Coordinates of all heavy atoms in Angstrom, one line a residue:
T169 N -7.2 10.0 23.7 CA -8.4 10.7 23.0 C -7.7 11.5 21.8 O -6.5 11.8 21.8 CB -9.0 11.8 24.1 OG1 -8.0 12.7 24.6 CG2 -9.6 11.1 25.1
V170 N -8.6 11.8 20.9 CA -8.3 12.5 19.7 C -9.3 13.6 19.5 O -10.5 13.5 19.5 CB -8.4 11.5 18.4 CG1 -8.0 12.2 17.2 CG2 -7.4 10.3 18.6
Y171 N -8.7 14.8 19.1 CA -9.5 16.0 18.8 C -9.3 16.5 17.5 O -8.2 16.5 17.0 CB -9.2 17.0 19.9 CG -9.8 16.9 21.2 CD1 -9.1 15.9 22.1 CD2 -11.0 17.4 21.7 CE1 -9.6 15.7 23.3 CE2 -11.5 17.2 23.0 CZ -10.8 16.3 23.8 OH -11.3 16.1 25.0
K172 N -10.3 17.0 16.7 CA -10.2 17.7 15.5 C -10.9 18.9 15.5 O -12.0 19.1 15.9 CB -10.8 16.8 14.3 CG -10.8 17.4 13.0 CD -11.3 16.5 11.9 CE -11.2 17.1 10.5 NZ -9.9 17.4 10.1
N173 N -10.1 20.0 15.3 CA -10.6 21.5 15.4 C -11.2 21.7 16.8 O -12.2 22.4 16.9 CB -11.6 21.8 14.3 CG -11.0 21.9 13.0 OD1 -9.9 22.4 12.8 ND2 -11.7 21.3 11.9
G174 N -10.6 21.1 17.9 CA -11.0 21.3 19.2 C -12.2 20.5 19.7 O -12.7 20.6 20.8
T175 N -12.7 19.7 18.8 CA -13.8 18.7 19.1 C -13.4 17.3 19.2 O -12.7 16.8 18.3 CB -15.0 18.8 18.1 OG1 -15.4 20.2 17.9 CG2 -16.2 18.0 18.3
E176 N -13.8 16.6 20.2 CA -13.4 15.2 20.5 C -13.9 14.4 19.4 O -15.2 14.4 19.0 CB -13.7 14.7 21.8 CG -13.2 13.3 22.0 CD -13.2 12.9 23.5 OE1 -13.8 13.6 24.4 OE2 -12.8 11.6 23.9
V177 N -13.2 13.4 18.8 CA -13.7 12.5 17.8 C -13.7 11.1 18.5 O -12.7 10.6 19.1 CB -12.7 12.5 16.6 CG1 -13.2 11.4 15.6 CG2 -12.6 13.8 16.0
S178 N -14.9 10.4 18.4 CA -15.0 9.2 18.9 C -14.3 8.2 18.1 O -14.6 8.0 16.9 CB -16.5 8.8 19.0 OG -16.7 7.4 19.5
M179 N -13.4 7.3 18.7 CA -12.6 6.4 18.0 C -12.6 5.1 18.9 O -12.5 5.0 20.1 CB -11.1 6.7 17.9 CG -11.1 8.1 17.1 SD -9.4 8.5 16.4 CE -9.4 7.2 15.1
Q180 N -12.8 4.0 18.1 CA -12.7 2.6 18.7 C -11.2 2.4 19.1 O -10.3 2.9 18.6 CB -13.2 1.6 17.7 CG -14.6 1.7 17.3 CD -15.6 1.6 18.5 OE1 -15.3 0.8 19.3 NE2 -16.6 2.4 18.5
P181 N -11.1 1.5 20.1 CA -9.7 1.3 20.6 C -8.7 0.8 19.5 O -7.6 1.3 19.4 CB -9.8 0.2 21.7 CG -11.3 0.3 22.2 CD -12.0 0.9 20.9
M182 N -9.1 0.0 18.6 CA -8.3 -0.5 17.6 C -8.0 0.7 16.5 O -6.9 0.7 15.9 CB -8.8 -1.7 16.8 CG -7.9 -2.5 15.9 SD -6.3 -2.9 16.8 CE -7.0 -4.1 18.0
E183 N -9.0 1.5 16.4 CA -8.7 2.7 15.4 C -7.7 3.6 16.0 O -6.8 4.0 15.2 CB -10.1 3.4 15.2 CG -11.1 2.6 14.4 CD -12.4 3.4 14.4 OE1 -12.5 4.4 15.0 OE2 -13.4 2.8 13.8
Y184 N -7.8 3.9 17.3 CA -6.8 4.6 18.0 C -5.4 4.0 17.9 O -4.4 4.7 17.6 CB -7.2 4.8 19.4 CG -6.1 5.6 20.3 CD1 -6.1 7.0 20.2 CD2 -5.0 5.0 20.9 CE1 -5.2 7.7 21.0 CE2 -4.1 5.6 21.6 CZ -4.2 7.0 21.5 OH -3.2 7.7 22.2
D185 N -5.3 2.7 18.2 CA -4.0 2.1 18.1 C -3.5 2.1 16.7 O -2.2 2.2 16.5 CB -4.2 0.5 18.6 CG -4.4 0.6 20.0 OD1 -4.1 1.5 20.7 OD2 -5.0 -0.6 20.6
C186 N -4.3 1.9 15.7 CA -3.8 1.9 14.3 C -3.3 3.3 14.0 O -2.3 3.4 13.3 CB -5.0 1.5 13.4 SG -4.5 1.2 11.6
L187 N -4.1 4.4 14.4 CA -3.6 5.8 14.1 C -2.3 6.0 14.8 O -1.4 6.6 14.2 CB -4.7 6.8 14.7 CG -4.4 8.2 14.7 CD1 -4.1 8.6 13.3 CD2 -5.4 9.0 15.4
L188 N -2.0 5.5 16.0 CA -0.7 5.8 16.6 C 0.3 5.1 16.0 O 1.5 5.5 16.0 CB -1.0 5.4 18.2 CG 0.0 6.1 19.2 CD1 -0.2 7.5 19.2 CD2 -0.2 5.5 20.6
L189 N 0.0 3.8 15.5 CA 1.0 3.0 14.8 C 1.4 3.8 13.6 O 2.7 3.8 13.3 CB 0.5 1.7 14.4 CG 1.3 0.8 13.7 CD1 2.5 0.4 14.4 CD2 0.5 -0.5 13.1
F190 N 0.5 4.3 12.9 CA 0.9 5.0 11.6 C 1.8 6.3 12.0 O 2.7 6.6 11.2 CB -0.4 5.6 10.9 CG -1.0 4.6 10.0 CD1 -2.3 4.3 10.2 CD2 -0.3 3.9 9.0 CE1 -3.0 3.3 9.4 CE2 -0.9 2.9 8.2 CZ -2.2 2.7 8.4
W191 N 1.5 7.0 13.1 CA 2.3 8.1 13.6 C 3.7 7.6 13.9 O 4.7 8.3 13.6 CB 1.6 8.9 14.7 CG 2.5 9.8 15.3 CD1 3.3 9.6 16.5 CD2 3.0 11.1 14.8 NE1 4.0 10.8 16.8 CE2 3.8 11.7 15.6 CE3 2.6 11.8 13.7 CZ2 4.4 12.9 15.6 CZ3 3.1 13.1 13.4 CH2 4.1 13.6 14.4
N192 N 3.8 6.6 14.7 CA 5.1 6.0 15.2 C 6.0 5.7 13.9 O 7.2 5.8 14.1 CB 4.9 4.9 16.2 CG 4.4 5.3 17.5 OD1 4.7 6.5 17.9 ND2 3.8 4.4 18.3
Y193 N 5.4 5.2 12.8 CA 6.1 4.8 11.8 C 5.7 5.7 10.5 O 5.6 5.1 9.4 CB 6.0 3.4 11.6 CG 6.7 2.5 12.7 CD1 5.9 2.3 13.8 CD2 8.0 2.3 12.6 CE1 6.6 1.7 15.0 CE2 8.6 1.7 13.8 CZ 7.9 1.5 14.9 OH 8.5 0.9 16.0
R194 N 5.6 7.0 10.8 CA 5.1 7.8 9.6 C 6.2 7.9 8.6 O 7.4 7.7 8.9 CB 5.0 9.3 10.2 CG 6.1 9.8 11.0 CD 5.7 11.0 11.9 NE 6.8 11.5 12.8 CZ 7.1 11.0 14.0 NH1 6.5 9.9 14.4 NH2 8.0 11.5 14.7
N195 N 5.8 8.1 7.4 CA 6.5 8.2 6.1 C 7.3 6.9 5.8 O 8.1 6.9 5.0 CB 7.6 9.3 6.3 CG 6.9 10.7 6.5 OD1 6.0 11.0 5.9 ND2 7.5 11.5 7.4
R196 N 6.8 5.8 6.4 CA 7.3 4.5 6.0 C 6.0 3.6 5.6 O 4.9 3.8 6.0 CB 7.9 3.7 7.2 CG 9.1 4.5 8.0 CD 9.5 3.6 9.0 NE 10.5 4.4 9.9 CZ 10.9 4.0 11.0 NH1 10.8 2.7 11.4 NH2 11.7 4.8 11.8
V197 N 6.3 2.7 4.6 CA 5.3 1.9 4.1 C 5.2 0.7 5.0 O 6.1 0.1 5.3 CB 5.6 1.5 2.6 CG1 4.5 0.5 2.0 CG2 5.8 2.6 1.6
M198 N 3.9 0.4 5.3 CA 3.6 -0.8 6.0 C 2.6 -1.6 5.3 O 1.6 -1.2 4.8 CB 3.1 -0.5 7.4 CG 4.1 0.1 8.3 SD 3.4 0.4 10.0 CE 2.1 1.7 9.8
T199 N 2.9 -3.0 5.2 CA 1.9 -3.8 4.6 C 0.8 -4.1 5.5 O 0.8 -4.0 6.7 CB 2.5 -5.2 4.3 OG1 2.9 -6.0 5.4 CG2 3.8 -5.0 3.5
R200 N -0.4 -4.6 5.1 CA -1.5 -5.0 5.8 C -1.1 -6.0 6.8 O -1.6 -6.0 7.9 CB -2.8 -5.4 4.9 CG -3.3 -4.3 4.1 CD -4.3 -4.9 3.2 NE -5.0 -3.8 2.5 CZ -4.5 -3.4 1.2 NH1 -3.5 -3.9 0.7 NH2 -5.1 -2.4 0.5
E201 N -0.3 -7.0 6.3 CA 0.0 -8.1 7.2 C 0.9 -7.6 8.4 O 0.8 -8.0 9.6 CB 0.8 -9.2 6.5 CG 0.0 -10.0 5.5 CD -0.5 -9.2 4.2 OE1 0.2 -8.1 3.9 OE2 -1.5 -9.5 3.6
Q202 N 1.8 -6.7 8.2 CA 2.6 -6.1 9.3 C 1.7 -5.4 10.2 O 1.9 -5.5 11.5 CB 3.6 -5.1 8.6 CG 4.8 -5.8 7.9 CD 5.6 -4.9 7.2 OE1 5.2 -3.8 6.7 NE2 7.0 -5.2 7.0
I203 N 0.8 -4.6 9.8 CA -0.1 -3.8 10.8 C -0.9 -4.9 11.5 O -1.0 -4.7 12.8 CB -1.0 -3.0 9.9 CG1 -0.2 -1.8 9.2 CG2 -2.0 -2.3 10.8 CD1 -0.9 -1.0 8.2
L204 N -1.4 -5.9 10.9 CA -2.2 -7.0 11.6 C -1.3 -7.6 12.7 O -1.7 -7.8 13.9 CB -2.8 -7.9 10.7 CG -4.0 -7.6 9.8 CD1 -4.3 -8.7 8.9 CD2 -5.2 -7.5 10.9
N205 N -0.1 -7.9 12.3 CA 0.8 -8.7 13.2 C 1.1 -7.8 14.4 O 1.3 -8.3 15.6 CB 2.0 -9.0 12.6 CG 1.9 -10.2 11.6 OD1 0.9 -10.9 11.7 ND2 2.8 -10.3 10.7
I206 N 1.3 -6.5 14.3 CA 1.6 -5.5 15.3 C 0.4 -5.3 16.3 O 0.5 -5.4 17.5 CB 2.2 -4.3 14.8 CG1 3.5 -4.5 14.1 CG2 2.3 -3.2 15.9 CD1 4.0 -3.3 13.3
L207 N -0.7 -5.1 15.7 CA -1.8 -4.7 16.4 C -2.6 -5.9 17.1 O -3.1 -5.8 18.2 CB -2.9 -4.0 15.6 CG -2.4 -2.7 15.2 CD1 -3.6 -2.0 14.2 CD2 -2.0 -1.7 16.2
W208 N -2.6 -7.0 16.4 CA -3.3 -8.3 16.9 C -2.3 -9.4 17.4 O -2.8 -10.3 18.1 CB -4.2 -8.8 15.8 CG -5.4 -8.2 15.8 CD1 -6.6 -8.5 16.4 CD2 -5.9 -7.1 14.8 NE1 -7.7 -7.7 16.0 CE2 -7.3 -6.9 15.0 CE3 -5.2 -6.4 14.0 CZ2 -7.9 -5.8 14.4 CZ3 -5.8 -5.3 13.3 CH2 -7.2 -5.1 13.5
G209 N -1.1 -9.3 17.0 CA -0.1 -10.3 17.5 C 0.2 -11.1 16.3 O -0.5 -11.3 15.3
V210 N 1.5 -11.7 16.4 CA 2.1 -12.4 15.3 C 1.2 -13.7 14.9 O 1.5 -14.2 13.8 CB 3.4 -12.9 15.5 CG1 4.4 -11.6 15.7 CG2 3.6 -13.7 16.8
E211 N 0.4 -14.2 15.8 CA -0.3 -15.5 15.5 C -1.7 -15.1 14.9 O -2.4 -16.0 14.5 CB -0.5 -16.3 16.8 CG 0.8 -16.7 17.4 CD 1.7 -17.4 16.5 OE1 1.1 -18.2 15.6 OE2 3.0 -17.4 16.5
F212 N -1.9 -13.8 14.5 CA -3.3 -13.5 14.2 C -3.4 -14.1 12.6 O -2.6 -13.9 11.8 CB -3.5 -12.0 14.1 CG -4.9 -11.6 13.6 CD1 -5.9 -11.6 14.5 CD2 -5.1 -11.2 12.2 CE1 -7.3 -11.3 14.1 CE2 -6.4 -10.8 11.9 CZ -7.5 -10.9 12.7
S213 N -4.5 -14.8 12.3 CA -4.7 -15.4 11.1 C -5.9 -14.8 10.3 O -6.5 -15.5 9.5 CB -4.8 -16.9 11.3 OG -5.9 -17.3 12.1
G214 N -6.3 -13.8 10.7 CA -7.6 -13.1 10.1 C -7.3 -12.5 8.8 O -6.3 -12.5 8.3

């Protein structure tokens, strides 16, 4: 779950996973393709 100023913010599962990914690799540049590969799997062709 995610809260802003004490109020819960509704987030879709992929939004949450993307947010956590950014945190885990904060202050590092990630390409769109790298993010897709991590969140959807290396075979994702979208």
Side-chain angles (χ1 to χ4, degrees):
T169 55
V170 179
Y171 286 79
K172 181 177 177 63
N173 288 322
T175 301
E176 184 172 359
V177 178
S178 176
M179 304 197 70
Q180 298 298 320
M182 195 56 67
E183 293 170 1
Y184 175 89
D185 289 340
C186 189
L187 174 63
L188 206 59
L189 176 65
F190 279 126
W191 168 258
N192 287 334
Y193 292 88
R194 54 199 177 276
N195 299 319
R196 303 182 197 174
V197 177
M198 291 187 290
T199 67
R200 293 177 177 85
E201 289 73 20
Q202 287 172 331
I203 295 169
L204 281 171
N205 288 343
I206 294 167
L207 295 181
W208 276 271
V210 294
E211 300 301 327
F212 183 81
S213 58

